Amino acid sequence: ITTTSSSNNLLPAPLSLPAGFATPPPQLVHLSGPVPDGSLPYQHQIQHQIQQQMQKIQQIQQIQQIQQQPQHILQQPQHTLQQPQQILDLQRRQQELLKQRVLHEEQQQEAEINLDDLEEVEEADVYEQYRPAHITEGLPHPDQIVESATLASVIPPKPTYQHHLQDVLLAGTLSNAQLETVIYSFMRFQTKLSATGCRSGFFLGDGAGVGKGRQIAAVALEFWRSGGRRILWISTSNDLRYDARRDLEDLGAANIPVFPKAKDSVPSGKLALSYTAGILFVTYSLLVSKTGGGNAGSSVIAAAKAGNYPGMAAKKLLVKGSRLSQIVEWLSYADGIAVPDSDDDDDDDDDDD
């Protein structure tokens, strides 16, 4: 901006416009002419005009901001609408996760049910219903009997012993499974151990429900009818003596005496003087006692608890005056049989151990 004056030849300093104005407004491009009388100095007048123009520019900028403001306001509702949309998307996601969780739980329950069915199938495969392979006499056992699949794959030997219990079978008091025990046990009794020459034994390992008490009574009856006269029945309690008598009576063997009778105790001395023939029913505790009282087998019991059971210690029970030597002597004269029984399970009323 330049000017000339007769009174002042100095040129005012250039003025800079605000930032953002590359080209000044047209009315500010060039100002010239003399300074009017009675007015402000010319330099101040120019600055005043510039300030006015700056105010106009600010007004223009404010108008432009006002014109741009509705777009910003219109954008705000769109931004605020995004929040409910996000909430809806989150709710849908939660519902999908919930459905997936419910579906997973249902699939898991179905898998557990299928696993239970599989276990039942496996149990059905592990155990098979037991039926005597060769015994055709007698009625089927009243209760269902099962055996492991491994044992079921083993075929037992064919019977070679002829029993003497036809009337018992006709009466229906002995099942074919119980008869099988009698036959196989006497097949073993007829064999001898190669190492010692002693008579072989038979292990009865049937579970609850088969009637081991009835089976033992049947073995005693068969031994009696085959000529045997002395049978040793060992149990855990004297109370089981009444169950043994009942099983014998059910088989029609009430004629076989059971000693000692009622609540009598085993006498001292030679048992053959008191019990000529019959079944001697004793407990395990009696075997380690003395005939005159006391415990002859305390050293053997102590050794067994310590995990040491030497043969020499067991021979102490056979010393003169012990119950064991007394019973062994009673059995040896008649070549009897011994039945160590156990009541480790609870059979029904007709089948006690």
Side-chain angles (χ1 to χ4, degrees), residues 113-183:
I113 293 174
N114 294 333
L115 181 61
D116 294 339
D117 295 339
L118 180 60
E119 291 177 352
E120 291 179 359
V121 172
E122 291 178 352
E123 290 180 358
D125 294 336
V126 172
Y127 295 98
E128 297 183 5
Q129 187 172 0
Y130 178 77
R131 295 184 182 87
H134 303 293
I135 306 300
T136 58
E137 299 178 90
L139 297 175
H141 197 74
D143 296 331
Q144 184 178 3
I145 304 176
V146 297
E147 65 177 342
S148 64
T150 304
L151 290 178
S153 63
V154 179
I155 301 176
K158 292 184 178 180
T160 58
Y161 178 80
Q162 183 60 45
H163 64 86
H164 305 83
L165 303 176
Q166 287 79 5
D167 58 330
V168 178
L169 297 176
L170 290 175
T173 55
L174 193 69
S175 67
N176 54 5
Q178 293 170 335
L179 176 64
E180 184 182 44
T181 298
V182 176
I183 293 175

Side-chain angles (χ1 to χ4, degrees), residues 19-337:
F21 287 88
T23 303
Q27 61 269 28
L28 297 179
V29 173
H30 179 74
L31 294 175
S32 63
V35 178
D37 294 336
S39 62
L40 293 173
Y42 186 68
Q43 185 176 358
H44 292 171
Q45 183 179 4
I46 293 175
Q47 291 179 355
H48 179 69
Q49 291 178 357
I50 291 174
Q51 290 178 355
Q52 290 179 348
Q53 293 298 325
M54 288 294 297
Q55 291 177 358
K56 292 180 179 180
I57 292 172
Q58 291 178 356
Q59 291 176 357
I60 293 172
Q61 289 179 349
Q62 291 177 357
I63 292 172
Q64 290 178 351
Q65 290 179 356
I66 293 173
Q67 290 176 350
Q68 294 177 356
Q69 190 173 6
Q71 296 180 356
H72 179 70
I73 294 174
L74 290 175
Q75 291 177 357
Q76 273 189 346
Q78 294 179 357
H79 178 70
T80 55
L81 287 175
Q82 290 178 357
Q83 294 182 353
Q85 185 65 31
Q86 292 177 356
I87 294 175
L88 291 175
D89 293 341
L90 181 60
Q91 290 177 351
R92 292 193 189 96
R93 180 59 179 167
Q94 290 178 347
Q95 291 177 356
E96 292 177 358
L97 293 176
L98 181 60
K99 290 180 180 179
Q100 292 178 1
R101 181 177 179 181
V102 173
L103 180 61
H104 177 71
E105 291 178 354
E106 291 178 352
Q107 292 176 350
Q108 188 175 5
Q109 291 177 357
E110 291 179 358
E112 292 177 354
I113 293 174
N114 294 333
L115 181 61
D116 294 339
D117 295 339
L118 180 60
E119 291 177 352
E120 291 179 359
V121 172
E122 291 178 352
E123 290 180 358
D125 294 336
V126 172
Y127 295 98
E128 297 183 5
Q129 187 172 0
Y130 178 77
R131 295 184 182 87
H134 303 293
I135 306 300
T136 58
E137 299 178 90
L139 297 175
H141 197 74
D143 296 331
Q144 184 178 3
I145 304 176
V146 297
E147 65 177 342
S148 64
T150 304
L151 290 178
S153 63
V154 179
I155 301 176
K158 292 184 178 180
T160 58
Y161 178 80
Q162 183 60 45
H163 64 86
H164 305 83
L165 303 176
Q166 287 79 5
D167 58 330
V168 178
L169 297 176
L170 290 175
T173 55
L174 193 69
S175 67
N176 54 5
Q178 293 170 335
L179 176 64
E180 184 182 44
T181 298
V182 176
I183 293 175
Y184 284 130
S185 62
F186 277 88
M187 288 175 59
R188 290 293 299 164
F189 296 160
Q190 291 177 345
T191 62
K192 301 290 184 179
L193 298 176
S194 58
T196 61
C198 297
R199 183 171 56 191
S200 300
F202 179 81
F203 178 80
L204 177 59
D206 291 339
V210 181
K212 292 185 291 296
R214 182 67 56 87
Q215 290 170 304
I216 295 173
V219 170
L221 177 59
E222 176 63 26
F223 183 71
W224 186 269
R225 289 185 175 181
S226 62
R229 285 296 177 266
R230 293 184 181 179
I231 304 163
L232 175 65
W233 192 330
I234 311 171
S235 186
T236 58
S237 174
N238 273 321
D239 295 336
L240 297 176
R241 182 193 317 170
Y242 305 101
D243 297 331
R245 292 188 185 191
R246 184 201 58 213
D247 287 325
L248 289 169
E249 292 175 357
D250 292 341
L251 294 176
N255 58 317
I256 302 178
V258 179
F259 305 110
K261 295 182 178 181
K263 295 186 179 297
D264 296 343
S265 58
V266 178
S268 302
K270 291 185 177 297
L271 292 179
L273 298 178
S274 303
Y275 309 142
T276 305
I279 298 175
L280 177 60
F281 193 96
V282 299
T283 61
Y284 290 99
S285 59
L286 184 69
L287 296 179
V288 295
S289 63
K290 295 180 180 179
T291 55
N295 191 344
S298 57
S299 60
V300 178
I301 296 175
K305 290 182 178 180
N308 183 16
Y309 200 91
M312 294 302 295
K315 289 183 178 180
K316 293 182 179 180
L317 297 176
L318 294 174
V319 296
K320 187 177 181 180
S322 65
R323 284 294 187 186
L324 183 59
S325 62
Q326 180 192 29
I327 293 173
V328 168
E329 182 184 11
W330 180 76
L331 283 175
S332 61
Y333 282 108
D335 193 21
I337 60 173

